[in-house]
Amino acid sequence: MLPSPYTPGRPAQVLAGRARERAWTSQQLDRVAALGDYGGPLQVVHAPRGIGKTSLLRSAEREARSKGFVTVWVSAVNGGSVAAELVYALRSALEAVDAITDKQRKVWHASLSKLELHLGVAGAGVRATIDTARTAAKTAAKSKLPAAPPAADAPVSALEQFLRDASTLVRSTGGSGVVLFIDEVHAADKLGLGIILNALQNLDGSSASAALTAMFAGLPNAPDVVTSAATFGERSRWVPLGRLDDTDSAVALAKPAQDSGVVWDRDARDRVVRDAGGYPYFLQLLGSTTWEAAGPGPGSTLTLDHVRTGYTDALRQLLTLFQTRWSKASNGHKRFIVAMVELMLETGSEDVDRGRIAEKLGRTTREISVPRNRLIGQDIIEPSGYGRVRFTIPGFAAYVAAEAGLPGAERLRELTRFPELGAAADS
């Protein structure tokens, strides 16, 4: 049996669709490489989990490296300092550049250690004293690299100077520049994110060149997180990702198998594309379970029987996911969710009006704003238009309807394009 090329829960091996987003990123990279200047505006990709945000960022990272950029990757975490993580990742990225001389590394080791210390990066080599700072300044002067400003007093200026110096160093060794990637930006601390955003803003508005650009990704509330950390963040380029159309879904499903010498029977492919409803995670999950059911070798064909066999495992995994989300919801959040499901049954649409949710709960729209925002932050619902929301994962409504014993729950199965899910939830 060949190893499965499908990666549910991880970046996809084949990024289907997203042509517009990839083209804009490619143009941005080309501009920075050609002009040696900051490439703005900041690009912020936002969407629910399973839509392909990280896959898009990883694709951009691979392209940036192929074009001679040094890439810096950070995944923000609750309770951490995203600025400190960024500086540490920058240190690691520069260490990996073979063209940087030992003399240049000494300058960076001394000045980076000082900045890391003040930003709270723990680890070996993170030391800074007055003597070290003086030595770094003297060495920087000799190598024509400016010394870092005192980070404790001016963290924004310190980070700005470091990013500028990093891009200058990379350009001087024949590289194109530096690209910053911050994933899970919705989890970033406000202080650290504010430092990064202000440093980028200063680079963007400076007359001095800095061959650098940045790309963030996060949940649907990422725009709120970014603009809360720095109001000028509203001038970012917002990139909401939606579900794939059937053509791109077919490519996402068939191409990984094709690359392994395995083909999809047309009926099997069309069935998975229909049931996945354009949701990339479902495509990867159903592709994976079909592959496991078939156990294919080179030249094999995946059939509808393999799809049906694989559904048992796929549905078990989805039901576990839904059960976890439902069990963790507070009673107030459950009432909000059930009200949404009831409105879906009444209207026949997965997009639900916020005003009608408030009416069903006997509250004003302002009073339901807190649970709405928290459910968005928990990746259970997402905005789907002005004043409208929907569930982030197709099939969750059918599960909730069955759990809550709502009449007519079977009608949600076709609406969510995963008919077997409702049947499994009923059993």
Side-chain angles (χ1 to χ4, degrees):
M1 172 180 166
L2 291 168
S4 174
Y6 299 101
T7 55
R10 295 185 289 118
Q13 293 187 15
V14 174
L15 181 63
R18 316 306 185 200
R20 181 180 177 185
E21 294 82 3
R22 296 170 74 181
W24 193 90
T25 299
S26 184
Q27 292 169 8
Q28 193 175 28
L29 292 172
D30 289 343
R31 177 183 176 277
V32 175
L35 302 179
D37 203 358
Y38 181 82
L42 168 68
Q43 187 173 186
V44 182
V45 179
H46 56 100
R49 298 194 188 284
I51 291 294
K53 304 180 300 299
T54 302
S55 294
L56 181 60
L57 248 65
R58 286 299 187 187
S59 174
E61 182 190 35
R62 290 192 295 270
E63 181 178 4
R65 287 180 175 174
S66 72
K67 292 182 175 181
F69 286 90
V70 169
T71 62
V72 182
W73 185 281
V74 172
S75 291
V77 294
N78 289 319
S81 168
V82 69
E85 292 288 347
L86 180 65
V87 173
Y88 187 82
L90 177 59
R91 171 193 280 270
S92 300
L94 291 173
E95 286 287 349
V97 179
D98 293 335
I100 295 177
T101 66
D102 289 340
K103 183 178 180 180
Q104 289 169 322
R105 279 195 174 88
K106 288 180 181 178
V107 175
W108 280 91
H109 284 176
S111 50
L112 268 172
S113 291
K114 186 173 179 63
L115 181 56
E116 287 171 338
L117 180 68
H118 288 297
L119 290 177
V121 181
V126 182
R127 302 287 188 271
T129 65
I130 294 176
D131 289 338
T132 302
R134 287 174 179 169
T135 301
K138 291 178 181 178
T139 310
K142 291 179 181 179
S143 62
K144 297 182 180 180
L145 284 175
D153 301 326
V156 172
S157 296
L159 182 58
E160 175 193 346
Q161 188 64 59
F162 259 75
L163 294 176
R164 189 187 305 283
D165 288 350
S167 66
T168 299
L169 183 60
V170 171
R171 294 284 287 192
S172 71
T173 59
S176 298
V178 176
V179 185
L180 309 180
F181 295 96
I182 299 183
D183 199 12
E184 304 289 321
V185 71
H186 56 270
D189 62 300
K190 187 173 182 178
L191 175 60
L193 184 58
I195 291 172
I196 294 171
L197 290 170
N198 277 278
L200 294 177
Q201 172 76 357
N202 292 347
L203 290 172
D204 192 16
S206 173
S207 58
S209 61
L212 182 141
T213 190
M215 186 174 180
F216 297 177
L219 293 179
N221 64 335
D224 293 335
V225 172
V226 170
T227 54
S228 176
T231 55
F232 56 78
E234 65 188 11
R235 297 195 292 273
S236 300
R237 182 175 187 269
W238 308 115
V239 185
L241 294 186
R243 298 173 192 172
L244 300 174
D245 61 26
D246 286 353
T247 300
D248 288 335
S249 294
V251 172
L253 186 66
K255 185 66 165 57
Q258 181 182 332
D259 291 344
S260 297
V262 177
V263 298
W264 280 80
D265 173 81
R266 182 173 180 176
D267 289 342
R269 182 201 64 192
D270 290 350
R271 173 62 180 273
V272 171
V273 168
R274 185 198 73 189
D275 286 349
Y279 191 59
Y281 172 72
F282 279 3
L283 290 167
Q284 294 295 315
L285 176 61
L286 296 177
S288 176
T289 56
T290 300
W291 190 277
E292 293 296 325
S300 297
T301 298
L302 304 178
T303 69
L304 195 55
D305 284 340
H306 296 141
V307 172
R308 293 191 182 106
T309 301
Y311 262 53
T312 301
D313 185 42
L315 293 171
R316 186 183 302 116
Q317 294 186 51
L318 285 174
L319 287 173
T320 299
L321 171 63
F322 292 160
Q323 286 166 357
T324 300
R325 289 192 168 201
W326 181 245
S327 64
K328 287 184 177 180
S330 67
N331 290 335
H333 288 173
K334 285 181 177 178
R335 288 191 291 271
F336 189 108
I337 291 169
V338 170
M340 282 185 62
V341 175
E342 289 174 338
L343 288 169
M344 288 177 65
L345 287 166
E346 292 173 13
T347 64
S349 171
E350 63 178 335
D351 298 311
V352 180
D353 182 76
R354 181 177 60 182
R356 294 198 62 185
I357 298 174
E359 181 181 345
K360 190 168 277 289
L361 293 173
R363 302 294 182 89
T364 66
T365 54
R366 176 173 292 185
E367 288 173 330
I368 68 166
S369 62
V370 171
R372 172 187 174 274
N373 292 340
R374 287 181 178 171
L375 287 169
I376 290 174
Q378 293 170 7
D379 197 34
I380 293 177
I381 66 175
E382 64 173 327
S384 59
Y386 182 75
R388 303 180 72 82
V389 292
R390 68 178 178 185
F391 292 111
T392 57
I393 302 183
F396 184 59
Y399 171 82
V400 171
E403 281 290 302
L406 300 178
E410 67 280 354
R411 298 202 308 274
L412 293 175
R413 296 172 195 161
E414 185 60 31
L415 178 62
T416 56
R417 300 180 72 176
F418 209 137
E420 281 83 358
L421 181 62
D426 288 342
S427 62

